[in-house]
Amino acid sequence: MRKFYGFIIVFGIIIYSIITSARQYSMVFIEPLGLILVIGLVAGLLLSVTKSNDHIKLIKALISDNSTDITTADIVSLSHVLQIGYRIALAAGLLGGFIGMISYLMHSDDPSSLGPAMALSFLSGLYGIILAEFCFGVLIKWLADKHPETGVPAVPKSPLFYGYILGCLGMYLAEFGLLFAFMK
């Protein structure tokens, strides 16, 4: 229960910082295309790589304290599915960032369209990181803590994660460079 309260506190701090930083523009952190892109890609790809009974077993494994119909092999396979979701969320955020960057470059002659394209780029990356770290990462850790006998590892930081961070930094630096070049 302590972890649940910690999770609520973290989300509360994030939401509070969004509301207070944007003041009257609190909806500035909502970008529908980025949300649809990231959540849709993650949901669609996870549904395509998992079996239908895995969803029910995953919910049982996360909610129940000691479920007798959940085997060690089920816990390991569910952890694997969550780790796939973690990696897909990072990749979907990066893909949204690239789509925003392409839109930014395509409409560079129209200054009024630069803001929405940059918002798509930044917020898709943010949504991917939030989904990966705060949803899938927490669920993997929670599953590993609830079933320590299985030896399920916590979220490994794969080369994709570090490549994602470096790719986002490079892309955002390029966007800022282009923005300053167009402002002259």
Side-chain angles (χ1 to χ4, degrees):
M1 197 64 165
R2 187 182 77 188
K3 291 178 185 179
F4 177 73
Y5 291 135
F7 192 67
I8 295 299
I9 288 171
V10 167
F11 267 117
I13 289 171
I14 291 171
I15 291 171
Y16 176 76
S17 66
I18 287 172
I19 290 172
T20 58
S21 70
R23 296 211 169 82
Q24 74 249 22
Y25 304 109
S26 61
M27 295 301 289
V28 76
F29 287 95
I30 305 297
E31 213 294 312
L33 181 59
L35 278 172
I36 291 169
L37 179 73
V38 172
I39 293 173
L41 274 174
V42 171
L45 288 174
L46 272 181
L47 285 174
S48 69
V49 299
T50 59
K51 296 178 278 196
S52 61
N53 62 348
D54 280 349
H55 306 110
I56 297 168
K57 287 183 181 180
L58 178 62
I59 293 169
K60 283 182 184 178
L62 292 174
I63 292 175
S64 68
D65 285 332
N66 52 3
S67 182
T68 56
D69 57 338
I70 303 289
T71 65
T72 302
D74 290 335
I75 299 296
V76 171
S77 69
L78 294 176
S79 173
H80 182 67
V81 167
L82 289 174
Q83 288 180 3
I84 290 171
Y86 178 88
R87 290 182 177 96
I88 290 172
L90 289 176
L94 188 60
L95 179 66
F98 284 131
I99 290 172
M101 180 70 168
I102 291 168
S103 176
Y104 181 85
L105 292 172
M106 285 178 58
H107 302 289
S108 60
D109 56 343
D110 181 18
S112 65
S113 65
L114 295 180
M118 191 178 276
L120 173 64
S121 180
F122 283 125
L123 291 176
S124 294
L126 178 69
Y127 299 151
I129 290 172
I130 287 174
L131 192 60
E133 292 295 331
F134 292 120
C135 295
F136 289 110
V138 168
L139 288 175
I140 292 168
K141 178 79 171 112
W142 195 8
L143 191 64
D145 288 348
K146 282 182 78 94
H147 302 281
E149 72 279 359
T150 60
V152 171
V155 179
K157 298 297 186 222
S158 67
L160 175 66
F161 178 79
Y162 296 114
Y164 176 81
I165 298 299
L166 289 174
C168 284
L169 285 175
M171 185 171 52
Y172 299 147
L173 287 173
E175 278 186 16
F176 279 124
L178 289 171
L179 180 66
F180 290 131
F182 291 126
M183 292 176 83
K184 290 183 180 181

